[in-house]
Amino acid sequence: MNMTIAFIGLGNMGGGMAANLLKNGYAVRAFDLSEEALARAEGAGAVRATSAADAATGADAVVTMLPAGKHVEAVYTGEIFAAAKPGALFLDCSTIDVATARRVIEAAVAAGFEMVDAPVSGGIAAANGGTLTFMVGGADEAFAKARPILSAMGKAVIHAGGAGNGQAAKICNNMLLGATMVATCETFAMAEKLGLDAQTFYDISSVSSGQSWSMTSYCPVPGVGPQSPADNGYQGGFAVGLMLKDLKLATEAAALAGASVPMGNAAEALYQMLANKGEAGRDFSLMIEMLKGK
Ligand code: NAD
């Protein structure tokens, strides 16, 4: 292996991902604007860099795990393109808008680099445990080179097509998740009003045509279905704020592509309401409490 990877963005997700690269024998040069994040990466065995450009200097590959498209574009076009060695491979694992992902990859290719967009499914626990799913967009050769690096951080690495298709797959999946969670929540709230016991309704619907992951693997009703954030006061899990971010990316992409997404738009508006109530940090299945009027 003996590859050196620059890792930029060592927050909640990136910290664990970089640690898994180290565990798998990669050398990591780490950079983050946060001293705390940098110190944690150093503690896991990474070499501290003084800037994104410093991290990328001499690295065989660059992995970024940053908040949004503007950060990704600024870091690559402002620092990494100029600092990276010829032939370096770039992997952006952040969740960003499709248009920016395509623009940055196009610029990387024009500058003579290979690059993939490789957003993840799975939260902080999966990042720490090395069990993320990567949805990857980019050319076949770039994907082939990216696969072993991504495999060191995840359990599944799926090629979704050309540049930006990883982001497209991610936001399509999460728009579907947002819509099915809202539908599951409003249905349990209605079932209660109609006098149906939640467990009984779960037993029926989870083996009937209303079944979905939101119901059977992540039931929003406490005490029903397998253990989920609902059983823990809606703490942990997938934050309302992150679901809202993904829904905004999805509806924005839909508008640009001319796709009609009334359910996605409704889910976005409802998650915005929940975030406005000060609940951006709690799990997204908390939607049931808002729909019950709590
Ligand atoms: P985070 O805010 O914890 O981490 C982002 C890190 O990037 C921070 O440490 C920040 O200091 C750093 N950063 C910002 N700008 C920088 C720059 N210019 N140079 C260097 N470092 C910079 O966020 P996170 O939860 O780790 O999420 C990262 C990405 O992964 C996001 O795009 C998010 O949507 C996506 N994601 C998160 C989750 C989750 O459960 N947290 C799940 C799937 C995908």
Side-chain angles (χ1 to χ4, degrees):
M1 208 164 297
N2 288 328
M3 271 180 84
T4 297
I5 298 185
F7 205 113
I8 295 150
L10 301 141
N12 289 320
M13 296 292 288
M17 292 164 69
N20 282 314
L21 288 175
L22 287 157
K23 275 185 209 151
N24 279 276
Y26 291 96
V28 174
R29 293 175 58 78
F31 180 68
D32 194 295
L33 296 175
S34 147
E35 168 56 33
E36 193 188 335
L38 209 44
R40 183 178 153 216
E42 212 177 11
V47 172
R48 176 190 284 255
T50 55
S51 64
D54 180 39
T57 302
D60 301 297
V62 178
V63 177
T64 42
M65 194 54 168
L66 295 163
K70 63 179 181 197
H71 308 99
V72 171
E73 189 155 33
V75 163
Y76 279 100
T77 60
E79 297 196 59
I80 296 173
F81 289 177
K85 69 180 183 189
L89 172 71
F90 303 153
L91 306 90
D92 178 40
C93 297
S94 329
T95 301
I96 71 169
D97 61 288
V98 177
T100 300
R102 292 193 169 138
R103 199 165 56 241
V104 174
I105 294 180
E106 212 171 276
V109 171
F113 300 103
E114 289 181 296
M115 181 166 185
V116 295
D117 56 299
V120 305
S121 175
I124 299 164
N128 290 336
T131 57
L132 293 166
T133 292
F134 290 91
M135 305 159 214
V136 190
D140 289 347
E141 312 78 59
F143 174 72
K145 288 182 189 162
R147 189 206 285 269
I149 297 171
L150 297 173
S151 297
M153 302 183 283
K155 64 171 168 38
V157 180
I158 302 163
H159 194 187
N165 276 24
Q167 301 294 351
K170 161 90 187 176
I171 57 170
C172 284
N173 178 71
N174 280 19
M175 185 176 80
L176 184 56
L177 173 63
T180 59
M181 181 55 81
V182 171
T184 303
C185 290
E186 71 180 17
T187 303
F188 270 106
M190 175 177 162
E192 185 180 287
K193 287 229 179 330
L194 295 177
L196 256 170
D197 171 62
Q199 181 66 55
T200 306
F201 176 61
Y202 174 91
D203 291 343
I204 294 166
S205 196
S206 61
V207 292
S208 301
S209 47
Q211 186 274 337
S212 74
W213 185 90
S214 293
M215 170 178 279
T216 48
S217 296
Y218 211 95
C219 188
V221 182
V224 178
Q227 185 78 17
S228 73
D231 301 311
N232 187 30
Y234 301 95
Q235 301 298 333
F238 185 39
V240 166
L242 287 174
M243 173 48 90
L244 181 58
K245 172 191 171 179
D246 292 353
L247 285 166
K248 282 182 195 285
L249 289 174
T251 56
E252 181 188 308
L256 285 173
S260 169
V261 291
M263 302 292 281
N265 288 325
E268 181 192 343
L270 288 160
Y271 276 104
Q272 184 68 66
M273 281 171 70
L274 196 50
N276 291 348
K277 285 157 122 2
E279 300 290 12
R282 288 170 85 194
D283 182 71
F284 82 124
S285 63
L286 180 67
M287 179 58 70
I288 192 164
E289 298 222 328
M290 189 177 89
L291 294 174
K292 279 184 174 177
K294 286 187 187 166

